[in-house]
């Protein structure tokens, strides 16, 4: 099963609207290779500027979070239809920074995944263990549990469209990445967990690695058979670095 790789930039709390436009212009000039899907996920306030700057480009737009209700008295929240109207195709759900700093639970993450699909957004579901969990030997249980919780209600078709990002929490923004081999092992485990729900679709689910991916180590991840691209934080804020990571994904695909 050949899955189209996805390389998505998670810009986190960086870039105003005009800054987002400049970065997108850099990416458009970089003439990215075909065969790899590319997405950028700016902050909410930069989405409409980013959507305008992306017009006519194959680069997709994503958001970094979403609330599960379509509208209502939920001060500060942003709904799935609002993201669709702003031009989003993807939305990151359950990023470890949301879980860690903002108290998001598996129950919330599950609702957000459902709500995204209800409104035709594709969720990029993030799962991953913390350092103490890895050290205690609980990685497999944590990652499988997060995956099963968030996907329990999905239909077979939704499972096949879902994107999962395996992001070991200790590797995010730390410069300390997992080895390609270990990331591949855990991602295989995630695919098997999805396969217990529905085996055909799980072969189509794209599962990305995220956590300190750089132009220097990207090939190590993208060369692994289970890894279908990357969710890129720090390195996605630099057009040249992000383009280099996209090219690494393209080369890896050609060599498979
Ligand atoms: P990083 O972030 O590439 O800066 O480690 C990845 C992420 O949090 O998605």
């Amino acid at each position: 099963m050949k899955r189209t790789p996805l390389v998505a930039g998670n810009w986190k709390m960086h870039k105003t609207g005009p800054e987002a436009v400049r970065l997108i212009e850099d990416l458009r000039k970089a003439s990215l290779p075909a065969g790899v899907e590319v997405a950028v996920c700016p902050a909410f306030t930069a989405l409409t500027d980013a959507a305008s700057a992306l017009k006519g480009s194959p680069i997709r737009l994503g958001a970094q979070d979403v609330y599960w209700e379509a509208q209502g008295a939920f001060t500060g929240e942003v709904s799935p239809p609002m993201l669709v109207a702003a031009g989003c195709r993807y939305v990151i759900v359950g990023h470890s920074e949301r879980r860690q700093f903002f108290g998001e639970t598996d129950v919330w993450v599950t609702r957000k995944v459902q709500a995204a699909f209800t409104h035709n957004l594709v969720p990029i579901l993030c799962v991953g263990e913390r350092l103490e969990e890895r050290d205690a030997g609980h990685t497999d249980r944590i990652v499988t549990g997060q995956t099963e919780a968030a996907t329990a209600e999905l239909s077979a078709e939704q499972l096949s469209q879902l994107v999962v990002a395996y992001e070991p929490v200790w590797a995010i923004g730390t410069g300390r990445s997992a080895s390609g081999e270990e990331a591949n092992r855990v991602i295989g485990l995630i695919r098997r967990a999805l396969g217990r729900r529905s085996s055909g679709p799980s072969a189509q689910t794209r599962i990305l690695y995220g956590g300190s991916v750089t132009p220097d180590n990207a090939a190590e991840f993208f060369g692994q058979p289970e890894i279908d691209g990357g969710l890129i934080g720090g390195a996605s804020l630099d057009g040249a670095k992000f383009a280099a990571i996209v090219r690494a994904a393209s080369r890896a695909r050609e060599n498979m």
Side-chain angles (χ1 to χ4, degrees):
M1 162 74 53
K2 262 218 164 173
R3 296 173 293 262
T4 304
L6 171 65
V7 176
N10 174 9
W11 293 359
K12 309 194 179 183
M13 201 173 71
H14 296 282
K15 308 278 177 196
T16 62
E19 288 166 350
V21 170
R22 279 199 290 283
L23 178 49
I24 287 168
E25 283 167 356
D26 287 348
L27 292 176
R28 293 190 70 160
K29 279 189 226 136
S31 58
L32 300 173
V36 175
E37 194 181 354
V38 178
V40 292
C41 305
F44 290 135
T45 48
L47 285 175
T48 49
D49 284 329
S52 304
L54 286 171
K55 278 227 169 72
S57 153
I59 300 173
R60 306 271 205 174
L61 187 62
Q64 298 174 17
D65 190 22
V66 67
Y67 193 60
W68 56 80
E69 295 288 348
Q71 60 191 21
F74 302 102
T75 302
E77 293 299 317
V78 174
S79 75
M82 290 172 179
L83 296 183
V84 171
C88 291
R89 160 88 177 153
Y90 290 104
V91 60
I92 299 170
V93 174
H95 189 280
S96 65
E97 285 152 16
R98 302 283 335 155
R99 295 181 193 253
Q100 199 178 338
F101 303 138
F102 303 99
E104 285 207 12
T105 62
D106 280 338
V107 174
W108 284 40
V109 173
T110 306
R111 285 189 194 155
K112 290 180 176 196
V113 166
Q114 286 286 355
F117 274 125
T118 301
H119 297 279
N120 294 319
L121 286 163
V122 175
I124 301 176
L125 164 68
C126 298
V127 299
E129 81 286 1
R130 299 197 306 264
L131 185 58
E132 58 271 28
E133 292 165 339
R134 170 159 286 264
D135 288 345
H138 296 155
T139 297
D140 297 8
R141 181 171 59 75
I142 295 290
V143 170
T144 305
Q146 289 175 344
T147 304
E148 285 171 348
T151 59
E153 305 292 324
L154 298 187
S155 69
E157 199 195 328
Q158 289 169 338
L159 262 191
S160 69
Q161 290 171 3
L162 176 73
V163 177
V164 181
Y166 168 53
E167 300 205 309
V169 178
W170 46 271
I172 294 178
T174 57
R176 181 183 163 198
S177 58
S179 70
E181 213 169 273
E182 172 62 5
N184 190 65
R185 184 191 73 80
V186 178
I187 287 176
L189 201 80
I190 293 170
R191 198 176 303 287
R192 284 198 291 284
L194 296 174
R196 284 194 288 279
R197 304 226 28 256
S198 203
S199 60
S202 71
Q204 293 171 48
T205 309
R206 288 179 295 177
I207 311 184
L208 319 180
Y209 169 77
S212 298
V213 177
T214 65
D216 294 333
N217 64 17
E220 177 185 346
F221 297 107
F222 301 156
Q224 303 285 339
E226 293 286 358
I227 302 183
D228 304 317
L231 183 56
I232 319 298
S236 72
L237 297 172
D238 179 307
K241 284 187 187 162
F242 189 60
I245 292 171
V246 173
R247 289 196 195 95
S250 170
R251 278 195 300 276
R253 182 186 157 88
E254 279 161 17
N255 294 336
M256 265 187 193

